Amino acid sequence: MNSIPRLPLARWTDQSIDFLQGHWGASTQAFSEQLESFIKGLQLILISIPPELFILVMVLLAWWLTGGKMAIFSLIGLFFIYNVQLWAVTMETLAMVIAAVLLCAVIGIPLGILSAKSITAHRIIAPVLDFMQTLPAFVYLLPAIPFFGLGVVPGVLTTIIFAMPPVIRLTDLGLRQVPEELIELGKSFGSTFFQMLFKIELPLARATILAGINQCIMLSLSMVVIAAMIGAKGLGGVVWRAIQTLKFGMGFEAGVAIVVIAIILDRITQNLGKNK
Amino acid sequence: MEKIKVQNLTKIYGHNTDKALQMVHNGSSNQEIREKTKQVVGVRDASFAVEQGECFVIMGLSGSGKSSLLRCINRLIKATEGQILIDGEDVNQMSSQRLEKLRQEKMAMVFQRFALLPHRTILDNIAYGLEVQGVQRPVRLEKASQALELVGLKGWEDSYPDSLSGGMQQRVGIARALATDPDILLMDEPFSALDPLIRQDMQDELLDIQQKLQKTILFVTHDLDEALKVGDRIALMKDARIVQIGNPEEILLSPASDYVARFVENVNRSRALTASAVMVKPRAVAHPKDGPLTALTFMERHGLSTIFVTDRSGRLQGYVQAEDASDLVDKGIRELDGIIQHDMPTAAPDTMLADILDTLAYCKVPVAVIDEQSKLKGVLVRGSVIAGLAGERRGSHE
């Protein structure tokens, strides 16, 4: 056993990161700036909405989609966040979650479709997803810094890596679960590939895909908090600072705010799938 | 005109069909092929032709290959070997664009579990085929509502499929298939998932619609009663092969094999047999010019209590009873005219037995079978009718 030389995986990884940084550094910087202005814009919009109006809209949305109990919870929860003066950082976090989920959907749904349609694609994508979901976040959190600097961009990008797999998996699953007879229906009337996809398969897979988006939102929310370690700020930033300065009360407040946002987003998106 | 012509169609399921195909050619059994090559034979060497406007039934038990055969026709399943000619064009050789075009314009399918899209309204479901063709929304909705009216579901346009009963859902399925005005309807056990009573209604309705529209229909079923009722001709399948093709009476009266015979044993024959299948030749007829004595002699010779009277060209005039004839003989009258009874039950040769059983049960006189010119073709006597219903082969008793 010992006669086999040690596999230099660590050195290879370091070398490739150096190589990539050297050759791709400029383009990742440009991409990073684009993404940053998008996220900052989103944060600006959310923060400029008056909290009263925001709370009202969320309460009505919760009422419409899930009913009275959730509306009351939203009212109390959001008012609590406003009351403990975490409103601005909550909006920062929300903007990062929205940006991450949008990108996950834009990239993940097409990949899910590809994976459902092509066995080869499925064979390549499935293990990559396993890798993305189980690799400890810290392992790729820090290497992101040389490429994208400190701040929201590497935070959102690592969030995407962590939160995208369920979107791909459930899109794939949703498409595979479309009843055989409905596939035959589409074919027997001479539907083209895209007609099948947009008129039959995606509408029927809608609930499953939305379940994937729901999972994606939950994972994003937990990840943007961890991403605060590399300067992503938001509620995670508050938690991180509280831990460093041993202000446990402050950390608990921020933690409750995260839970409130998580429950509201979860219930609302769950019911998006059920509603017609 | 032949609308669909299938020649030597074989379908083998599996990835390596060459060897299995070779074994099919050599006549190995399905079992042997499965054991040796792991390939499953779905359809073997099927050949038939369907005429324009004909309703052709493919019937067999589950696993007999009937659904596979149907799906080869529009290439939902690609046949391993053989030709499927639609208007002379081979489906198996078509480019995928040509195939899409063919499916859009020439044929439509009706499914066992209805296959309605749950996220669309009834009207949008029916308009699906037109939508695929690229027809503008107002036009296709107009056509869809016409189709909806045809199946008697006006007023349900904006409902969703889950609010409809099974029977209604299948009406929508049929309307959807008719909306594109295709030449060919492929129906895959369309009524099997319905309650028996609703199933019969739907069969009647299909026959009505067929009378109006004269589509070429390929109809798959496992129910022989249904096959006999809707089919102009029936192909019986067993173990991936077609074992007999014929019209309903041929299938019932001269089954090609023991398998078919066992199959038809339990069918309700009164719904499949027509008067002409069980009628017997009148043993004797009298003519108006014959005197009563002649008529009486005929009756005595053949042991009859009544005799039918026809004119010289064979048209039925009525019947004479033995007592009346013997009265005339006693009175010395020479002409039959006075005693011919004109009021009597008759049936056409294609009348279903089910429709005349009542008459037969209560009427003392045999039922005369006459054609459109009222020529006497035969008579229905209770004995022959009962024998027909019981399934005895014709010929063995005559």
Side-chain angles (χ1 to χ4, degrees):
Chain A
M1 284 278 276
N2 285 330
S3 62
I4 303 169
R6 186 185 184 284
L7 203 64
L9 185 59
R11 189 151 50 80
W12 287 346
T13 313
D14 289 342
Q15 280 170 355
S16 8
I17 289 174
D18 284 348
F19 175 82
L20 284 175
Q21 204 195 334
H23 289 77
W24 291 71
S27 47
T28 52
Q29 280 302 324
F31 172 74
S32 173
E33 277 160 26
Q34 292 282 320
L35 188 58
E36 180 157 10
S37 58
F38 173 63
I39 299 166
K40 290 279 185 225
L42 214 54
Q43 287 179 341
L44 209 65
I45 292 170
L46 285 180
I47 289 174
S48 63
I49 298 172
E52 297 83 356
L53 180 65
F54 189 91
I55 293 175
L56 183 71
V57 169
M58 289 307 284
V59 168
L60 286 178
L61 202 62
W63 181 288
W64 180 53
L65 286 169
T66 61
K69 276 186 202 161
M70 205 51 222
I72 293 169
F73 177 86
S74 304
L75 182 66
I76 296 172
L78 290 172
F79 180 74
F80 164 79
I81 293 173
Y82 179 69
N83 183 258
V84 295
Q85 294 174 351
L86 288 173
W87 189 262
V89 280
T90 302
M91 290 302 118
E92 275 176 23
T93 297
L94 207 54
M96 283 188 284
V97 170
I98 291 171
V101 171
L102 276 179
L103 283 169
C104 282
V106 167
I107 302 166
I109 293 175
L111 279 177
I113 294 170
L114 190 67
S115 168
K117 291 285 172 191
S118 146
I119 298 169
T120 318
H122 183 76
R123 285 195 185 132
I124 297 168
I125 289 172
V128 173
L129 294 184
D130 294 335
F131 204 77
M132 283 162 76
Q133 277 186 304
T134 49
L135 195 68
F138 298 102
V139 175
Y140 52 87
L141 204 54
L142 299 176
I145 298 174
F147 288 97
F148 305 104
L150 281 168
V152 288
V153 174
V156 166
L157 285 177
T158 49
T159 302
I160 289 171
I161 293 177
F162 184 65
M164 191 157 56
V167 178
I168 301 177
R169 276 191 213 280
L170 285 165
T171 303
D172 182 358
L173 179 71
L175 291 181
R176 284 172 196 277
Q177 277 177 340
V178 174
E180 180 60 24
E181 213 178 41
L182 294 178
I183 300 289
E184 285 192 334
L185 155 77
K187 287 188 186 161
S188 71
F189 278 90
S191 315
T192 62
F193 177 82
F194 285 106
Q195 284 172 335
M196 290 290 296
L197 198 59
F198 289 110
K199 292 181 196 293
I200 295 181
E201 293 173 307
L202 285 177
L204 286 164
R206 181 173 165 275
T208 314
I209 295 174
L210 280 171
I213 299 284
N214 170 277
Q215 286 298 300
C216 175
I217 292 173
M218 295 295 104
L219 291 176
S220 299
L221 205 53
S222 64
M223 192 61 189
V224 288
V225 174
I226 296 171
M229 283 175 59
I230 53 169
K233 304 222 183 87
L235 282 170
V238 178
V239 174
W240 189 235
R241 213 163 47 244
I243 292 169
Q244 282 174 324
T245 54
L246 301 181
K247 288 182 181 162
F248 299 121
M250 186 172 99
F252 186 69
E253 274 178 358
V256 171
I258 291 168
V259 171
V260 168
I261 295 295
I263 291 177
I264 294 174
L265 288 181
D266 177 59
R267 299 301 188 275
I268 286 179
T269 51
Q270 256 183 28
N271 282 281
L272 273 180
K274 284 178 204 151
N275 254 43
K276 254 199 3 68
Chain B
M1 197 185 89
E2 276 170 3
K3 190 77 189 168
I4 306 170
K5 190 172 166 74
V6 173
Q7 275 179 317
N8 308 104
L9 186 155
T10 296
K11 170 65 196 176
I12 294 163
Y13 291 101
H15 295 293
N16 190 7
T17 55
D18 288 354
K19 182 145 184 257
L21 200 57
Q22 194 60 45
M23 291 180 75
V24 166
H25 292 309
N26 294 339
S28 309
S29 74
N30 296 343
Q31 175 97 22
E32 259 178 274
I33 295 172
R34 199 175 63 233
E35 277 163 11
K36 289 218 175 108
T37 67
K38 309 265 183 249
Q39 316 286 301
V40 175
V41 181
V43 180
R44 61 190 290 170
D45 202 20
S47 299
F48 60 88
V50 183
E51 297 292 315
Q52 166 85 49
E54 185 181 26
C55 180
F56 188 87
V57 174
I58 302 169
M59 119 119 228
L61 297 176
S62 62
S64 61
K66 56 191 192 302
S67 286
S68 297
L69 179 53
L70 185 77
R71 280 165 173 69
C72 286
I73 306 296
N74 65 351
R75 217 169 101 181
L76 282 181
I77 294 174
K78 191 156 197 244
T80 314
E81 193 185 54
Q83 279 190 318
I84 302 123
L85 303 173
I86 309 277
D87 291 327
E89 201 179 353
D90 192 346
V91 176
N92 240 9
Q93 308 294 333
M94 277 178 193
S95 69
S96 53
Q97 286 87 345
R98 183 75 197 101
L99 181 65
E100 263 163 22
K101 195 96 178 140
L102 177 89
R103 287 170 172 175
Q104 282 175 14
E105 289 169 0
K106 248 184 207 169
M107 36 173 68
M109 198 159 173
V110 178
F111 296 86
Q112 184 175 6
R113 311 274 344 164
F114 323 132
L116 301 184
L117 295 169
H119 58 283
R120 288 175 167 239
T121 63
I122 297 305
L123 206 57
D124 278 332
N125 260 292
I126 295 176
Y128 183 79
L130 296 161
E131 188 177 329
V132 168
Q133 288 180 6
V135 175
Q136 291 299 308
R137 190 170 165 82
V139 181
R140 67 178 190 245
L141 291 189
E142 173 61 31
K143 285 191 178 173
S145 38
Q146 284 167 9
L148 191 67
E149 214 172 325
L150 189 68
V151 298
L153 279 182
K154 203 170 172 9
W156 291 87
E157 287 83 354
D158 299 323
S159 310
Y160 283 86
D162 59 7
S163 61
L164 268 62
S165 71
M168 289 159 85
Q169 290 193 33
Q170 193 57 299
R171 280 165 207 259
V172 176
I174 292 171
R176 175 177 59 193
L178 293 174
T180 53
D181 194 24
D183 298 347
I184 299 169
L185 290 182
L186 304 174
M187 308 186 86
D188 182 24
E189 304 214 30
F191 308 140
S192 300
L194 305 175
D195 295 335
L197 282 178
I198 295 169
R199 193 182 308 159
Q200 287 180 15
D201 286 349
M202 296 290 288
Q203 290 161 356
D204 292 335
E205 211 155 318
L206 178 69
L207 290 173
D208 276 357
I209 291 173
Q210 172 63 352
Q211 196 139 44
K212 275 184 228 155
L213 303 179
Q214 293 292 313
K215 302 287 180 193
T216 305
I217 301 178
L218 225 61
F219 188 108
V220 167
T221 181
H222 64 257
D223 177 353
L224 185 59
D225 279 321
E226 183 169 82
L228 295 169
K229 184 168 175 183
V230 304
D232 294 323
R233 279 189 307 145
I234 299 167
L236 262 152
M237 285 189 82
K238 189 203 177 203
D239 297 336
R241 274 180 220 272
I242 294 180
V243 290
Q244 186 174 7
I245 297 179
N247 64 34
E249 286 190 17
E250 284 164 2
I251 301 272
L252 278 185
L253 296 175
S254 39
S257 66
D258 283 351
Y259 174 77
V260 180
R262 272 210 313 284
F263 218 120
V264 300
E265 230 166 42
N266 298 319
V267 73
N268 182 353
R269 293 170 157 260
S270 72
R271 300 214 160 276
L273 287 182
T274 57
S276 63
V278 293
M279 67 188 183
V280 293
K281 256 176 98 173
R283 273 178 278 191
V285 288
H287 299 294
K289 279 190 185 161
D290 294 335
L293 194 56
T294 322
L296 206 55
T297 315
F298 280 153
M299 283 190 261
E300 269 169 10
R301 194 183 299 157
H302 292 101
L304 301 168
S305 57
T306 56
I307 189 165
F308 286 109
V309 181
T310 62
D311 65 13
R312 287 286 160 211
S313 51
R315 274 195 288 268
L316 183 67
Q317 303 292 308
Y319 68 95
V320 166
Q321 286 183 305
E323 307 98 85
D324 296 343
S326 100
D327 275 357
L328 280 193
V329 173
D330 292 347
K331 287 178 193 159
I333 300 174
R334 289 287 191 80
E335 276 81 36
L336 269 180
D337 293 350
I339 56 161
I340 296 177
Q341 313 239 10
H342 299 283
D343 181 27
M344 63 189 164
T346 58
D350 59 358
T351 307
M352 288 290 159
L353 276 190
D355 300 332
I356 36 177
L357 281 179
D358 268 3
T359 321
L360 275 166
Y362 296 111
C363 188
K364 289 191 187 107
V365 205
V367 175
V369 181
I370 53 175
D371 65 10
E372 301 95 68
Q373 284 97 40
S374 65
K375 283 187 183 164
L376 183 65
K377 290 302 192 186
V379 294
L380 294 174
V381 293
R382 286 185 203 172
S384 70
V385 171
I386 291 168
L389 289 179
E392 278 180 70
R393 305 264 189 102
R394 223 176 145 208
S396 58
H397 274 258
E398 272 182 7

